[in-house]
Amino acid sequence: MNIDTVIETVVEKKPKIVSVVGAGISKASGMPTFRGEDGLWNNYRAEELATPYAFSRDPKLVWDWYRARMRILLEAEPNPAHCSLTKLEEKNISTGIITQNVDGLHEIAGSKKIVEVHGRIRYRRCVNCDHFERWDSNEKAQKSIELPYCPKCETNLLRPDVVWFGETLDSQSWQQAAEWTMQSNVMLVIGTSGVVAPVSTLPIYAKQNNSLVIEFNIEQTPISGYCDYSLFGPCEETLPEFTDKLIERMK
Ligand code: BV8
């Protein structure tokens, strides 16, 4: 697909762009994806570790998994794909970013209108009371083996402040994602395998809303069939090219 053709189609819409983002956008920042060849902890599936059942059965295994991810994250920086979405926001072309990622890299890239529908790995919360805290410091993340307990109610474990499989999304976050989808006329679907619901339904809603849906991925996905265009290639290359050309054309 010729990117200039895509740009012209977008310009004609007088675009209000919402972005739906997955793990593929953070790959170039050094964060492994969930289901790719370098998927997180290949001997486990995310669906086996990111669940309340896994945590109740073996909280240490689950915490070891999150600590391993946090150690990588503490070295990670936003990449040109994150920064290109920040540029769209600065030019008032972006309605918002709906991210499945929990890494917080959009905020570090300077984006403000973000909804983290699967939560935030940099925070942890008590399984029992309302206590929550950041733990993305070397000292806390590196604490090797002991399980973190709530400093407030002491006897209860802390868990990562993320949404696990089988858990419902925060209703306000999901409401915000749905609103931004309906308020936009262009949806970018970036670096997601499109297998996790309910986020995977958003491109369908976008199409029902007569939005233009453009996929940025390195391969076909179950969402490709709903997309008007699929721009194949590493999004850390294709997305900056797309946003720079679009901003130039809209001057
Ligand atoms: C819910 C947070 C209502 C934690 C995550 C049966 C029983 C129970 C539930 C279900 C069921 N069937 C379906 C469900 C619903 C379930 C679900 O969808 N399961 C799937 C696996 C079938 N969903 C839920 O449970 C959700 N809650 O529905 O509540 C409910 C309640 C009870 C019962 C039923 C319904 C909650 C889902 C949230 C799970 N939490 N993460 C953590 O991160 O630790 S999901 C996890 O997967 C991450 O958030 C991740 O972002 C997300 C999706 O994955 P992707 O981001 O797409 O990443 P992936 O690796 O898969 O793909 C990367 C893509 O990037 C690939 O396409 C690759 O080609 C591409 N790529 C790679 N490099 C690049 C690139 N693209 C461009 N450039 C590159 N350089």
Side-chain angles (χ1 to χ4, degrees), residues 22-24 27 33-36 47 50 65-66 69 100-102 118 162-169 191-198 216-219 221 233-236:
K27 183 117 173 277
T33 60
F34 282 78
R35 295 168 187 87
E47 291 80 1
W65 183 49
Y66 280 92
R69 291 168 66 186
Q100 300 173 92
N101 299 338
V102 296
H118 290 168
V162 298
V163 180
W164 281 331
F165 289 102
E167 293 184 322
T168 49
L169 278 58
T192 180
S193 58
V195 300
V196 176
F216 293 78
N217 205 304
I218 53 174
E219 59 189 9
T221 70
C235 64
E236 61 274 18

Side-chain angles (χ1 to χ4, degrees), residues 12 14 22 31 45 59 70 89 97 104 111 164 172 180 199 213 241 249:
E12 280 163 24
K14 296 187 176 48
M31 297 306 295
R45 289 172 50 245
M70 182 55 81
E89 185 177 42
I97 299 170
S111 292
W164 281 331
Q172 280 185 313
W180 281 348
V199 170
V213 180
E241 182 189 2
R249 264 296 279 110

Side-chain angles (χ1 to χ4, degrees), residues 190-220:
I190 306 159
T192 180
S193 58
V195 300
V196 176
V199 170
S200 55
T201 63
L202 289 173
I204 303 168
Y205 292 139
K207 284 313 297 169
Q208 289 168 353
N209 191 41
N210 296 318
S211 294
L212 197 64
V213 180
I214 305 165
E215 182 177 39
F216 293 78
N217 205 304
I218 53 174
E219 59 189 9
Q220 294 266 358

